[in-house]
Amino acid sequence: MIWDRRNECLAREEIEQLQLERLQSTLNRVYRNVAFYKKRFDRLKIGPDEIQNVQNLAHFPLTMKEDLRESYPYGMFALPLREVVRIHSSSGVTGKSTVTGYTKNDLQHWSQLTARVLTAGGVTKDDVVQITFKYGLFTGAFGLHYGAELIGASVIPMSTGNTRKQALIMQDYKTTALVSTPAYALLLARYIEKEGINPQSLSLKRGLFGGEPCPESMRKEIEERLLINATDNYGVSEVMGPGVSAECEHKNGLHLYEDHFIPEIIDPQTLRVLPPGTEGELVLTTLTKEAFPLVRYRTRDITSLDYAPCACGRTLVRMKKVLGRSDDIIIIKGVKVFPSQVEAILLEVEGVEPRYQMIADRVEGMDTLELKVEVNEKVFSDEIKILQNISAEIERKLREIVGVSGKVKLVAPESLQPGEAKAAKVIDRRKK
Ligand SMILES: [Zn+2]
């Protein structure tokens, strides 16, 4: 099922023509209305008229999260506040938050885009959608909420936390679609199992996961435990929130909504644009946003782009599942370690949760890696011998699969990363 067949199935030339027109208009607007961009463009002696084709975008400067923080709170808005009808912010792990604004049109586009995400994940007006993202400044819940209402589904705005109540409502209200982070879906699955609730007695049919990367092994585990079909979707709080890209039923990458965003993949070190198919950092330019347009925003997420046609009929480029963040990759003795690899390993090990923290350090000139991993309640009270076996298994898998040796330290359940997604999974002490 396709929500917006006209715009999701445009011919490649039509997409590029539409992008070019919208890009010219966006660059003109930011040059006129956002002092930050005027200064940047003037310094590089580059103007909105440089754009003859979409590829010319590569000549323009990149925008970083730090730029947004320096313009806190409204410095990069392209319209006066009286035109803005909604304000969200992303807290981030460290430092000042970034603030995003939406006009009425921005909100309409946003609902349209999240309706595309939900429809691609199988949601129809017959679904009962339970949203377990936090309602508040964070973009996740409100973004998908309005898309689900636009489709005509019945929305349960549960917000985060209280797993007991989430499970109860899921049973009683006959929830068919779960909107959550993959980690929370797994937690729910484990809770349901622990309470002796038969997943077959639930009405749940699908899961729509976002907010953090969902490795294939994690998806499989959730699908098997909750007996659902799960799709991955992707968003960036500073760019809009959810509704940037989403998997279709073929699950071979996330269709990125190119009529609203131009994606580029850059080398995070040299900042050069990389050819399609190459892994690198995703950079996004917004094409329709009025209140808070962004030019070449560095998402820090590592992925690659595939322009080959998809069997679903959508012509939109597919981005690979996010492998991790460019600032989360740590290099230990020359080996790149992605958090997603560590998560995949932990999912294979009995007795531990996929909650962890990687700590890189340097001792006498040598890189060291410590991996703190939460064990589950059952194992935590077990004998030392069992805990030692678990540590040894994770250490062995790290060596064999990732190619690094690390020291594993098992910690108590719920002692790492309470609450929200995107807590610090990686600490690099060598940077100090
Ligand atoms: Zn597809």
Side-chain angles (χ1 to χ4, degrees):
M1 286 250 300
I2 299 177
W3 173 254
D4 184 353
R5 188 168 285 278
R6 199 173 70 84
N7 289 307
E8 293 181 72
C9 303
L10 291 169
R12 184 50 41 195
E13 314 82 74
E14 289 178 296
I15 296 176
E16 288 197 2
Q17 186 53 38
L18 187 67
Q19 285 183 325
L20 181 59
E21 286 162 20
R22 290 182 172 175
L23 179 60
Q24 282 166 333
S25 134
T26 297
L27 291 172
N28 271 303
R29 278 188 300 114
V30 300
Y31 187 71
R32 275 199 318 266
N33 303 328
V34 184
F36 166 84
Y37 284 115
K38 182 171 183 347
K39 217 158 84 191
R40 282 269 173 108
F41 293 2
D42 284 348
R43 200 164 62 208
L44 288 168
K45 297 192 173 51
I46 195 166
D49 0 319
E50 305 275 322
I51 290 284
Q52 303 304 322
N53 55 53
V54 173
Q55 288 70 33
N56 293 153
L57 181 58
H59 305 149
F60 283 78
L62 293 155
T63 307
M64 319 257 279
K65 186 154 182 153
E66 293 72 42
D67 299 324
L68 271 47
R69 288 207 186 106
E70 276 165 29
S71 315
Y72 178 87
Y74 302 136
M76 283 175 72
F77 281 21
L79 286 172
L81 213 49
R82 65 174 180 277
E83 305 288 333
V84 172
V85 297
R86 176 93 67 78
I87 292 164
H88 280 287
S89 86
S90 87
S91 53
V93 180
T94 49
K96 234 183 208 173
S97 63
T98 56
V99 182
T100 50
Y102 305 74
T103 63
K104 269 192 184 143
N105 283 334
D106 291 337
L107 287 186
Q108 270 172 15
H109 285 143
W110 195 14
S111 305
Q112 282 289 338
L113 292 180
T114 53
R116 290 186 190 180
V117 169
L118 292 156
T119 305
V123 174
T124 69
K125 64 185 176 54
D126 296 326
D127 274 285
V128 178
V129 182
Q130 185 163 337
I131 297 181
T132 70
F133 287 134
K134 191 171 186 175
Y135 278 76
L137 286 172
F138 175 60
T139 52
F142 279 103
L144 287 150
H145 180 109
Y146 287 104
E149 284 191 354
L150 188 63
I151 291 173
S154 317
V155 184
I156 309 173
M158 274 301 292
S159 204
T160 43
N162 202 341
T163 304
R164 194 182 63 80
K165 198 169 168 197
Q166 297 271 7
L168 187 75
I169 287 201
M170 186 174 280
Q171 286 176 289
D172 292 351
Y173 295 13
K174 304 198 181 332
T175 300
T176 59
L178 172 69
V179 170
S180 72
T181 61
Y184 192 67
L186 201 54
L187 196 133
L188 257 172
R190 285 176 182 165
Y191 175 84
I192 284 166
E193 231 160 76
K194 203 176 83 196
E195 293 298 304
I197 301 166
N198 180 356
Q200 255 164 345
S201 70
L202 300 172
S203 310
L204 207 59
K205 290 197 202 86
R206 46 193 138 263
L208 294 107
F209 300 143
E212 63 187 16
C214 178
E216 208 50 58
S217 50
M218 194 168 185
R219 184 217 310 264
K220 212 168 137 253
E221 181 170 354
I222 299 167
E223 285 186 326
E224 284 169 3
R225 290 174 99 151
L226 284 176
L227 308 174
I228 57 169
N229 179 44
T231 49
D232 200 0
N233 66 80
Y234 171 81
V236 183
S237 291
E238 302 82 39
V239 170
M240 187 167 71
V244 173
S245 67
E247 278 180 335
C248 64
E249 66 272 25
H250 298 285
K251 301 181 188 177
N252 53 4
L254 290 78
H255 288 286
L256 194 144
Y257 303 131
E258 290 176 278
D259 47 338
H260 293 266
F261 310 99
I262 296 180
E264 296 170 281
I265 299 291
I266 62 163
D267 179 319
Q269 263 88 46
T270 65
L271 307 182
R272 275 208 202 98
V273 176
L274 299 171
T278 318
E279 241 160 52
E281 182 182 324
L282 178 69
V283 167
L284 291 170
T285 297
T286 68
L287 294 175
T288 50
K289 277 181 69 187
E290 295 177 337
F292 191 63
L294 285 171
V295 177
R296 306 195 77 212
Y297 182 67
R298 288 189 66 178
T299 65
R300 302 284 175 179
D301 289 322
I302 301 290
T303 181
S304 62
L305 297 175
D306 184 354
Y307 286 88
C310 179
C312 72
R314 289 175 185 83
T315 50
L316 302 162
V317 67
R318 283 169 292 132
M319 61 179 260
K320 210 160 137 188
K321 262 174 180 297
V322 169
L323 293 166
R325 293 177 60 74
S326 64
D327 39 27
D328 270 358
I329 297 174
I330 47 175
I331 300 177
I332 302 289
K333 295 176 188 164
V335 180
K336 270 188 200 162
V337 184
F338 285 94
S340 56
Q341 292 174 307
V342 174
E343 263 152 51
I345 288 175
L346 298 181
L347 283 167
E348 285 177 8
V349 178
E350 204 64 44
V352 300
E353 300 292 332
R355 281 209 290 257
Y356 62 92
Q357 198 165 49
M358 289 198 274
I359 302 154
D361 210 341
R362 188 164 283 142
V363 180
E364 291 167 4
M366 293 282 277
D367 290 343
T368 60
L369 176 67
E370 184 186 44
L371 183 64
K372 284 187 185 167
V373 182
E374 276 186 20
V375 291
N376 61 32
E377 291 285 354
K378 209 169 115 254
V379 173
F380 189 58
S381 45
D382 245 320
E383 22 180 322
I384 301 269
K385 184 95 182 76
I386 292 177
L387 294 173
Q388 279 171 345
N389 285 345
I390 292 175
S391 301
E393 187 185 351
I394 300 170
E395 285 171 7
R396 181 177 57 77
K397 281 181 190 276
L398 267 179
R399 274 196 309 276
E400 289 174 4
I401 300 169
V402 186
V404 293
S405 38
K407 180 117 196 66
V408 170
K409 188 176 172 197
L410 299 177
V411 299
E414 311 285 322
S415 60
L416 298 171
Q417 305 174 31
E420 291 292 295
K422 289 187 180 169
K425 287 179 176 169
V426 176
I427 296 169
D428 197 341
R429 297 207 172 116
R430 297 169 300 183
K431 285 175 183 167
K432 281 177 192 161

